[in-house]
Amino acid sequence: MTAQVLLRRATGLSVSKTVAERAVGQRMEQTGFTDSAAYLQALTPAEMTQLIELVVVPESWLFRDPQAFYATVELVQERWARGRATRILSIPCAGGEEPYSMAMALRDGGVPKQAFSIDAYDLSPGCIERAQAGVYGRNAFRAQDVAFRERYFTHVADDAYRIIDALREQVTFRQGNLLQFDTATYSRHYDVIFCRNLLIYFDKPTTRAAIANLSALLADDGMLLAGYAEVPSFCQNGFATLQFRQAFALKKETTAPAAAPQVASLPAVRTLRSVPPAPKRPAAAISPAGLRTRPVSVPSPPPAPAPAAQTDLLAEARLLADRGQLREAGEKCHAHLARVPEAAEAYFMLGIINELAGKMDLADDYWRRCIYLQPDHYEALCHLALLAERNGNHTAAATLKARAARIYQRRQASN
């Protein structure tokens, strides 16, 4: 069994072959193995944990996408005014930046500590250890306004700050995997769930399984905060948007129609299965403003007709990529471009294929060609924004997010 398959089974993450092999190579150097097959054969649970540490993506910072925290403060204040405490879950929590941001926002909002509790889980034991320590360097303080650092942190080294004990005590950290969560014990347990920028690393079946677990954990009148590129996936699987501006908030649908409406399909970063064949993009589901507005699901218009031969090339490319045959998938996309040079969807798929291969510069180039040809290509904008964030280019990421939000608002207005 390959390292890629083993890691996917252990974590649910769609790890590329390149990333998996690089991680195995690093662990082989550290453990003295010279043969990869022998290393994988001797893999123990403890060693698997070390291998997983090399492929997880713990990238986060304090008050990342702050509107989600402000939306939660409003909900907690409203519930506490009715004498009801709020249970909050952050999964995955990376190094604790998200749950600590929530604790700070609640304290700034005048919410007493008995009004809420925060549980935080992450797959990585290393992330949990860092979160419990509560020490952060310069990269964690990327928000435009970092005045909270003076209120809630103590300076412990040149560029290191530790969060105050009063806030550390407000968060309970545990190591855990969403896909293996005890949903029976914690059925409808949480009033607010933060699950942001996790589904982008899953294939379509794993995404459905993760959303099913989140739905089981969330109270029927609860609120879920997602990553902006993940909202359509939730809307396809039993959730509807809440109109908090830039919070990307959702709730469980309370009544299901006899036949579920078609909704906008947005591929996860690591898969091509959800890429629709038609280049015309349906409405996506970033939510603009106001909690009390009735939630909406976004129906998809019928796809534009396309010649069978052209559609088949892109369909074949998707199937090949799902099988890991990236070179062959790329060839199909290029063959399609030879027939239709301005096919934005083919460039978008080439971006996904190169991202799967670990060729991020090429992925960036193809996604930019896509939005040059189709400026309102929502998915390409989301992928470019995520890539800009990972590269530390937060100004570009914010600009791309804003463009995606405007596209959503225009489409909502036209429906």
Side-chain angles (χ1 to χ4, degrees):
M1 191 178 299
T2 66
Q4 186 180 16
V5 172
L6 286 170
L7 285 164
R8 178 176 292 196
R9 288 188 177 181
T11 66
L13 301 175
S14 294
V15 179
S16 72
K17 182 180 179 181
T18 301
V19 170
E21 290 179 348
R22 184 186 304 125
V24 167
Q26 291 178 26
R27 288 305 301 164
M28 286 173 60
E29 288 182 6
Q30 295 170 11
T31 56
F33 279 88
T34 56
D35 179 73
S36 60
Y39 169 80
L40 294 175
Q41 185 67 29
L43 204 60
T44 64
E47 179 58 26
M48 174 59 83
T49 297
Q50 295 297 320
L51 191 61
I52 290 170
E53 287 287 306
L54 298 176
V55 300
V56 295
V57 186
E59 175 71 8
S60 192
W61 56 91
L62 296 157
F63 285 101
R64 181 182 185 181
D65 294 326
Q67 295 299 329
F69 304 110
Y70 305 149
T72 303
V73 169
E74 181 177 328
L75 181 146
V76 175
Q77 289 172 332
E78 290 178 353
R79 295 192 179 203
W80 185 243
R82 301 196 303 269
R84 178 177 171 184
T86 301
R87 293 186 290 257
I88 301 169
L89 171 66
S90 171
I91 185 167
C93 67
E97 295 89 346
E98 182 175 83
Y100 283 142
S101 296
M102 191 66 258
M104 287 186 279
L106 288 165
R107 178 167 288 206
D108 284 343
V111 178
K113 64 180 182 179
Q114 63 269 28
F116 66 96
S117 62
I118 303 175
D119 292 338
Y121 287 79
D122 200 274
L123 178 67
S124 163
C127 284
I128 295 300
E129 185 177 347
R130 290 193 294 274
Q132 290 172 331
V135 177
Y136 299 97
R138 180 182 302 171
N139 286 340
F141 299 96
R142 305 182 197 176
Q144 291 183 346
D145 181 4
V146 294
F148 63 86
R149 187 169 63 189
E150 299 301 317
R151 297 194 298 274
Y152 300 122
F153 288 81
T154 57
H155 185 232
V156 294
D158 290 344
D159 288 319
Y161 298 81
R162 178 182 287 116
I163 196 161
I164 61 174
D165 290 342
L167 289 181
R168 290 171 63 199
E169 294 167 359
Q170 286 289 113
V171 184
T172 301
F173 290 101
R174 299 185 181 94
Q175 191 272 335
N177 185 339
L178 172 60
L179 297 171
Q180 299 168 2
F181 211 98
D182 184 359
T183 55
T185 301
Y186 291 90
S187 176
R188 298 179 176 84
H189 182 76
Y190 292 103
D191 304 290
V192 177
I193 297 179
F194 283 78
C195 186
R196 305 192 295 174
N197 303 313
L198 174 64
L199 304 189
I200 58 175
Y201 300 106
F202 290 161
D203 61 19
K204 195 170 184 179
T206 309
T207 293
R208 287 197 297 267
I211 293 175
N213 278 7
L214 290 166
S215 181
L217 295 169
L218 184 66
D220 290 338
D221 61 347
M223 179 173 69
L224 185 143
L225 290 309
Y228 57 91
E230 300 164 326
V231 172
S233 293
F234 279 100
C235 289
Q236 289 176 309
N237 290 280
F239 281 80
T241 56
L242 287 167
Q243 295 196 4
F244 267 119
R245 182 177 296 277
Q246 297 296 303
F248 315 115
L250 303 110
K251 68 174 293 183
K252 291 197 286 188
E253 290 182 323
T254 54
T255 56
Q262 289 185 325
V263 295
S265 180
L266 174 62
V269 170
R270 304 288 178 181
T271 183
L272 288 173
R273 290 189 179 90
S274 61
V275 179
K280 179 68 176 178
R281 309 314 303 174
I286 292 180
S287 43
L291 175 62
R292 299 176 184 82
T293 304
R294 187 178 64 184
V296 295
S297 292
V298 186
S300 172
Q310 294 176 9
T311 302
D312 287 346
L313 284 172
L314 293 183
E316 289 171 18
R318 286 191 292 274
L319 289 172
L320 288 165
D322 283 337
R323 294 170 186 162
Q325 297 173 259
L326 303 183
R327 180 178 60 80
E328 294 85 350
E331 288 173 354
K332 293 292 183 182
C333 288
H334 285 294
H336 182 83
L337 286 167
R339 298 177 178 178
V340 189
E342 297 184 354
E345 191 63 30
Y347 283 118
F348 174 70
M349 290 175 62
L350 283 167
I352 297 288
I353 289 165
N354 280 277
E355 202 263 357
L356 283 165
K359 300 175 181 177
M360 302 311 301
D361 289 343
L362 280 174
D364 179 86
D365 180 64
Y366 282 123
W367 287 328
R368 291 188 183 280
R369 294 189 198 188
C370 173
I371 62 171
Y372 174 79
L373 292 167
Q374 189 177 331
D376 65 346
H377 198 294
Y378 175 80
E379 294 91 333
L381 289 167
C382 287
H383 282 269
L384 283 169
L386 286 167
L387 185 55
E389 278 191 347
R390 291 174 196 162
N391 291 337
N393 192 343
H394 305 298
T395 300
T399 300
L400 290 160
K401 286 183 190 180
R403 284 180 62 180
R406 288 195 296 271
I407 290 165
Y408 167 80
Q409 291 164 359
R410 287 200 300 269
R411 288 170 176 171
Q412 283 291 88
S414 64
N415 285 345

